Amino acid sequence: MQSSNIAYVPALDHIRAYAALLALFYHGLQLFWHQAAYGSLFDATHWLATGNPLLALLVEGHTAVALFMVLSGFIFTWGAKGRNIVYRSFIRNRLLRTYPLFIALIVLGISAMPERFSWQALLTTVFGLANMAGHLDISPFSAMFWAVAVEWHFYLLFPFLLLFLNGRGAGYLLGLIALVLAWRSIAWLLTGEVRELAYFTIAGRLDQFLIGMLAGAWCAREDSVPAPAWIFPVVAVLVIAAVWLFHRAGGWPQDNALRIAWGTVEAALWAAFLVAYLGFARLIPAPVSRLVASVGIVSYSIYLLHFVVIYVIAVKGWYLDFATGPVVDALLTTLLLATPLTLVLAALSYHVIERPFLALRSSYYR
């Protein structure tokens, strides 16, 4: 993604592409599999279980959100380490980056489902609380709004976090991560529940942004050098193994003390994946790199629109039946139908909605 504030690095668009496609395959697998196996859209009480580590990565593909969070913290810090940010300009750029498509989907959803409209729900959603009770429920159009809300909560904090990082060093962010873990522990002790907090709120995601910031600060050092290419396959295997172990422990539906620290572990692994990939990406042939980066450039549109495409295919019963079983059929439907439709729609959305507003961004450094 080209920006006047951060040097363009194709590998970062690669990461965006991987995260967006992982989210797409996660929802495609879950909805199409559940539809084929149980005749209804989705119910977390029926959670696909597998002993295959690669399939487990798709079953628990919600981990793509953690990768996005880490990437946000990384990119902002890598570009701004040691510099001062003009708060108003930074927020203006974030509005131009995220709100045009967000508002367009709100308008579309309200127009399609006027019975779900209320002024309170609209204001709750527009003012960054789409992850809280009372938000505007116009699913499937609003299915991904909660993650945009969490991103926005981080955007409001980032200039201050960067200021404290520049002034106090990495120890400040490490202390804040420890505090976030303590907060989640207290919530677990008081309520016996932590999954919703850990997954849907800034209290559960802030440490993921902070770990991304630490990785960005590390790579921004003057003596920083790219990781050797051989490290990336090792880190990728560790990520897959960790997600597989999480899946074997119960996966997303579980709500126990493991969820207190899982987001932190998940983020640390993705941060290592990101840093290792920067060194590995140099080995990728230029044509392949450009192709993958082109997907990353439209990743925001992919993220907000993919669930709409998958939902339409599911409710209309358009999923493909190859008589290979619900799981394989779900994956093939996602690959052959949902993915190309989403990519085409996302490319169109990027060029007519996102890109004109992106051109209005300016420098936010003092």
Side-chain angles (χ1 to χ4, degrees), residues 10-299:
L12 296 179
D13 270 337
H14 295 180
I15 298 293
R16 286 189 179 100
Y18 302 147
L21 291 175
L22 180 55
L24 190 159
F25 271 83
Y26 161 63
H27 284 120
L29 173 61
Q30 293 289 0
L31 266 67
F32 297 145
W33 164 77
H34 200 279
Q35 183 86 332
Y38 297 98
S40 60
L41 281 181
F42 178 71
D43 182 350
T45 59
H46 299 139
W47 194 254
L48 179 60
T50 179
N52 184 319
L54 291 177
L55 182 58
L57 180 64
L58 299 182
V59 174
E60 307 296 343
H62 51 81
T63 190
V65 177
L67 178 54
F68 272 124
M69 305 300 183
V70 170
L71 185 59
S72 290
F74 179 92
I75 290 174
F76 290 139
T77 307
W78 194 21
K81 179 70 167 62
R83 307 171 75 175
N84 294 321
I85 284 180
V86 179
Y87 191 85
R88 182 174 62 180
S89 299
F90 177 78
I91 295 300
R92 175 181 178 273
N93 276 18
R94 294 298 88 210
L95 277 169
L96 291 170
R97 174 69 183 96
T98 60
Y99 255 45
L101 181 56
F102 184 78
I103 297 298
L105 286 176
I106 288 177
V107 172
L108 176 58
I110 291 174
S111 300
M113 306 170 184
E115 71 281 0
R116 300 189 185 183
F117 172 79
S118 77
W119 282 108
Q120 179 180 343
L122 175 63
L123 294 174
T124 298
T125 301
V126 168
F127 286 100
L129 294 174
N131 61 331
M132 297 295 177
H135 67 272
L136 188 63
D137 182 7
I138 46 174
S139 187
F141 304 105
S142 61
M144 299 295 106
F145 282 4
W146 71 268
V148 178
V150 176
E151 283 271 357
W152 256 97
H153 300 163
F154 173 66
Y155 297 158
L156 295 173
L157 292 172
F158 175 74
F160 299 103
L161 295 172
L162 181 67
L163 180 66
F164 301 149
L165 172 63
N166 289 337
R168 303 188 179 198
Y172 172 79
L173 297 188
L174 291 171
L176 190 51
I177 291 171
L179 181 61
V180 170
L181 286 168
W183 285 344
R184 293 206 289 265
S185 299
I186 292 171
W188 163 253
L189 292 172
L190 287 176
T191 66
E193 300 175 352
V194 73
R195 183 186 66 194
E196 302 297 302
L197 179 152
Y199 191 80
F200 290 108
T201 74
I202 190 65
R205 296 288 185 177
L206 181 58
D207 48 340
Q208 298 183 340
F209 291 110
L210 297 175
I211 289 171
M213 289 182 66
L214 288 170
W218 175 267
C219 290
R221 296 174 306 127
E222 291 184 1
D223 61 344
S224 176
V225 295
W230 64 266
I231 290 180
F232 174 71
V234 175
V235 174
V237 169
L238 289 176
V239 170
I240 294 170
V243 173
W244 177 73
L245 290 173
F246 174 79
H247 174 72
R248 300 297 290 174
W252 190 88
Q254 66 178 310
D255 192 355
N256 53 38
L258 175 64
R259 299 303 289 259
I260 295 171
W262 166 246
T264 311
V265 173
E266 184 182 31
L269 289 166
W270 281 126
F273 177 94
L274 195 163
V275 173
Y277 187 81
L278 292 177
F280 177 81
R282 296 172 299 170
L283 303 181
I284 299 176
V288 176
S289 176
R290 287 193 295 269
L291 177 63
V292 178
S294 69
V295 176
I297 288 172
V298 301
S299 60

